[in-house]
Amino acid sequence: MEDTEDIVIAGAGPNGLMLACELALAGVRPLVLERLPEPTTENRANGLVGQVVRVLDRRGLHERLAGPIAPPVPGFVFGAMRLDLTLVERNSLNVLGVPQRRIEAMLGERAAELGVEVRHGHELTGLAQDADAVTLDVTGPDGPYRLGARYVVGADGGRSVTRKLAGIGFPGVTEDRAVSHSANATVPAEFTDPGSGGLRVPGRGVIPPFFHYRTETGLFAYAPFPTGTLVTAMEWTDDEEPADEPPVTLDDVRASIRRVLDFDLPLGAPEGEGPHLLRRLRGRNTRLADKFRDGRVLLVGDAAHVHSAIGGPGLNLGLQDAVNLGWKLAATLGGRAPAGLLDTYESERRPVAERVVMHTQAQSALISPGGDVTALRELFGELLRLPGTVQHIADLMSGADVRYEPGTDHPLDGRWAPDLVLDGGTRLAELTATARPLLLDFTGSLGDELRGWSDRVDHVTGHADVDATALLVRPDGYVAWATSAAEPDDTDRKALRAALERWFGHSLDA
Ligand SMILES: Cc1cc2nc3c(=O)[nH]c(=O)nc-3n(C[C@H](O)[C@H](O)[C@H](O)COP(=O)(O)OP(=O)(O)OC[C@H]3O[C@@H](n4cnc5c(N)ncnc54)[C@H](O)[C@@H]3O)c2cc1C
């Protein structure tokens, strides 16, 4: 045995790196193994959609990527149908258009600042666990070696080796009829619409930018990113995948667009530095791990769930898995976790993943070819004129509808803490950069209750315009207890102590 680590994370993708940062903030330095010799230049996500944008803000990471957080967007897309978010009362759909490789680079830098070691070119190949530890086989640039760890987290993507080695099932479906072609390309100016930023297509008017446009034969998207225009066409085919399919060309992308739009859009070579995307993707997997934890092995991100990328929900789910798991795993390792804390990772996050699976499958159905789908879309379009429906879908996509099991009946208990601003102008996001739990006490009277947890929970007083007089906020941003009483009574105080014990362990006085 070469070494024994506290925590080994397999995979330095976005979710593995985010988890590494969260663990480091909680005082644990994980070792990250990444099989690639250097960070990938492949780009997958073009942006973040939903609450995850605010999660980054609450760690000071949004600022590093894109400056101050922007307000929620006035419109989005669901199943290639417009979601008019000006209709809703509470719009929580934030979008951040940043390529995944930049997100990964930023998280890699942050992890390094926090002292995390990322071993590039080291691949996890074997795993065995007993009650006390996990033994890992790793192949590095100098050959194979063995490593011990108290916990291992598989953040190694949809084909997760960790998941397979741990024997965790990954049931679901593979839709192999979908083929999509994507490319960064230039489009002649005569086809662009400067007013809307969209694409003029004869016979179809202007296709809005960043919109999924469905036809009876497929789906088209035109995305004029500042870094280069991205075009995507998706079709359905009954043809078998050719054995030796040649690499995709710009002409293939153009031909696919022609079949989907019934229009020949001239495409030129992309401009600018790159790297440029030119990709063919076949098939679509929708799968959910049987469990997110088996003993000392845990899964986050794509290792635990894969689904269609429609609507961009992947990192909203995966990065919040990481933020949910980090503080719980650190507390467990430090021996101060209350009983069952680590189990709440799965009981809280798997239902969220189930809903993402549900809405991406529903969207995939809505973009499928066929007259019956066209009729379904007409009906769905009528429903999307109702503010309540739009609110429901927007909350589903952003994650604002997530409520973890509350300890009280206060409406904020179990919910994501609102983006409040204290009277001195301090935003909650500025108080949460260290990922420590907070008691926001606007009554100024609860400090005594916190005495037994003062080593773990910070006490913040002041005032904010929010539907509560005190909130206990977990490191992942969720409310663990709340009251609206101007003068909290014994029952409130008892419930607060119960919440402190439930989430942060025994009082120092116990
Ligand atoms: C075409 C496409 C478009 C997408 N668009 C969006 C979008 O717009 N918005 C969005 O939020 N999401 C999007 N997604 C989803 C998003 O890209 C994924 O959810 C995300 O990459 C998952 O991150 P991860 O860290 O879990 O896994 P990955 O990104 O797959 O990273 C896993 C890492 O583990 C490493 N690894 C694998 N095996 C081992 C091993 N045995 N040992 C050590 N290291 C290993 C890999 O090299 C890799 O670096 C898109 C996905 C695709 C395919």
Side-chain angles (χ1 to χ4, degrees):
M1 183 82 60
E2 192 180 83
D3 235 338
T4 297
E5 302 287 333
D6 283 335
I7 296 175
V8 170
I9 299 173
N15 296 322
L17 290 170
M18 187 75 187
L19 176 64
C21 293
E22 290 293 300
L23 286 165
L25 284 172
V28 176
R29 295 237 173 89
L31 169 65
V32 184
L33 303 174
E34 168 55 55
R35 76 171 167 203
L36 297 176
E38 51 194 54
T40 176
T41 54
E42 186 209 359
N43 199 41
R44 290 189 188 169
N46 290 303
L48 300 174
V49 179
Q51 194 165 278
V52 66
V53 178
R54 298 201 275 154
V55 170
L56 292 187
D57 185 40
R58 289 200 184 169
R59 292 291 186 262
L61 301 176
H62 190 290
E63 188 73 34
R64 289 170 175 241
L65 275 177
I69 189 167
V73 288
F76 202 64
V77 193
F78 183 84
M81 305 188 78
R82 187 173 150 68
L83 211 51
D84 181 358
L85 296 167
T86 63
L87 295 176
V88 302
E89 266 177 38
R90 304 173 315 277
N91 182 0
S92 52
L93 203 68
N94 290 78
V95 175
L96 177 60
V98 173
Q100 183 164 331
R101 59 172 178 272
R102 270 191 55 210
I103 298 169
E104 287 183 25
M106 180 276 291
L107 290 172
E109 270 171 38
R110 179 67 178 140
E113 276 170 27
L114 292 168
V116 173
E117 183 191 355
V118 180
R119 284 189 195 162
H120 279 276
H122 293 247
E123 180 173 8
L124 174 70
T125 55
L127 179 161
Q129 62 167 320
D130 59 28
D132 303 318
V134 192
T135 305
L136 303 173
D137 292 317
V138 181
T139 302
D142 300 326
Y145 63 98
R146 206 154 246 209
L147 202 59
R150 292 183 63 197
Y151 287 92
V152 174
V153 184
D156 44 354
R159 296 196 170 91
S160 172
V161 170
T162 313
R163 187 188 64 233
K164 289 175 192 159
L165 290 171
I168 299 175
F170 203 39
V173 289
T174 297
E175 150 66 89
D176 49 13
R177 291 175 58 225
V179 182
S180 75
H181 291 85
S182 302
N184 283 119
T186 52
V187 171
E190 64 193 279
F191 295 113
T192 60
D193 181 54
S196 66
L199 185 76
R200 287 179 206 281
V201 176
R204 296 188 185 272
V206 173
I207 295 182
F210 306 104
F211 189 78
H212 291 150
Y213 183 85
R214 178 200 176 253
T215 70
E216 290 262 332
T217 50
L219 193 75
F220 172 75
Y222 171 74
F225 288 107
T227 48
T229 294
L230 180 67
V231 286
T232 299
M234 180 167 171
E235 308 167 77
W236 281 260
T237 173
D238 290 324
D239 297 344
E240 292 272 301
E241 182 176 351
D244 284 318
E245 196 164 33
V248 62
T249 65
L250 215 50
D251 281 345
D252 294 331
V253 182
R254 184 171 174 173
S256 180
I257 294 174
R258 190 166 52 235
R259 288 190 292 273
V260 171
L261 289 183
D262 202 15
F263 164 65
D264 192 16
L265 178 67
L267 296 180
E271 288 166 355
E273 261 183 36
H276 299 297
L277 184 73
L278 184 57
R279 175 174 63 202
R280 180 195 293 116
L281 278 182
R282 281 186 184 274
R284 185 171 57 218
N285 273 309
T286 302
R287 293 179 183 277
L288 191 56
D290 276 336
K291 42 189 174 177
F292 285 14
R293 175 184 176 201
D294 181 58
R296 294 181 171 272
V297 181
L298 296 114
L299 304 174
V300 292
D302 279 16
H305 36 68
V306 292
H307 44 74
S308 156
I310 191 163
L315 291 168
N316 193 30
L317 183 58
L319 292 172
Q320 291 195 78
D321 287 350
V323 173
N324 186 288
L325 177 60
W327 64 281
K328 295 176 181 175
L329 192 50
T332 304
L333 200 75
R336 58 183 191 280
L341 181 69
L342 200 52
D343 293 331
T344 66
Y345 167 59
E346 171 165 334
S347 64
E348 291 187 340
R349 293 308 295 168
R350 201 165 182 283
V352 180
E354 280 169 1
R355 286 183 63 75
V356 172
V357 162
M358 178 272 281
H359 81 66
T360 51
Q361 283 191 311
Q363 292 188 74
S364 298
L366 279 169
I367 61 168
S368 298
D372 50 352
V373 176
T374 305
L376 175 66
R377 291 176 64 81
E378 206 173 313
L379 174 61
F380 212 83
E382 289 174 15
L383 296 176
L384 287 183
R385 289 199 279 277
L386 306 175
T389 314
V390 179
Q391 182 77 65
H392 187 87
I393 291 180
D395 289 349
L396 175 64
M397 294 186 84
S398 70
D401 60 354
V402 171
R403 186 176 194 190
Y404 298 145
E405 194 189 321
T408 67
D409 57 8
H410 193 282
L412 288 177
D413 196 345
R415 298 264 180 207
W416 168 254
D419 283 332
L420 49 86
V421 182
L422 295 177
D423 38 15
T426 307
R427 298 184 313 127
L428 175 59
E430 294 167 59
L431 299 171
T432 54
T434 57
R436 277 179 58 88
L438 300 175
L439 177 64
L440 303 174
D441 174 11
F442 307 134
T443 71
S445 70
L446 294 167
D448 278 355
E449 309 307 331
L450 209 54
R451 233 185 8 239
W453 291 269
S454 58
D455 58 330
R456 282 154 281 172
V457 183
D458 292 341
H459 188 208
V460 178
T461 53
H463 182 263
D465 190 11
V466 61
D467 291 335
T469 53
L471 297 157
L472 179 62
V473 183
R474 307 189 326 188
D476 58 355
Y478 279 81
V479 175
W481 168 87
T483 181
S484 291
E487 292 178 16
D489 60 15
D490 282 351
T491 312
D492 290 314
R493 290 167 185 273
K494 200 170 156 212
L496 169 59
R497 288 195 301 274
L500 286 161
E501 206 163 304
R502 174 182 174 201
W503 295 109
F504 309 118
H506 288 306
S507 152
L508 292 170
D509 311 329

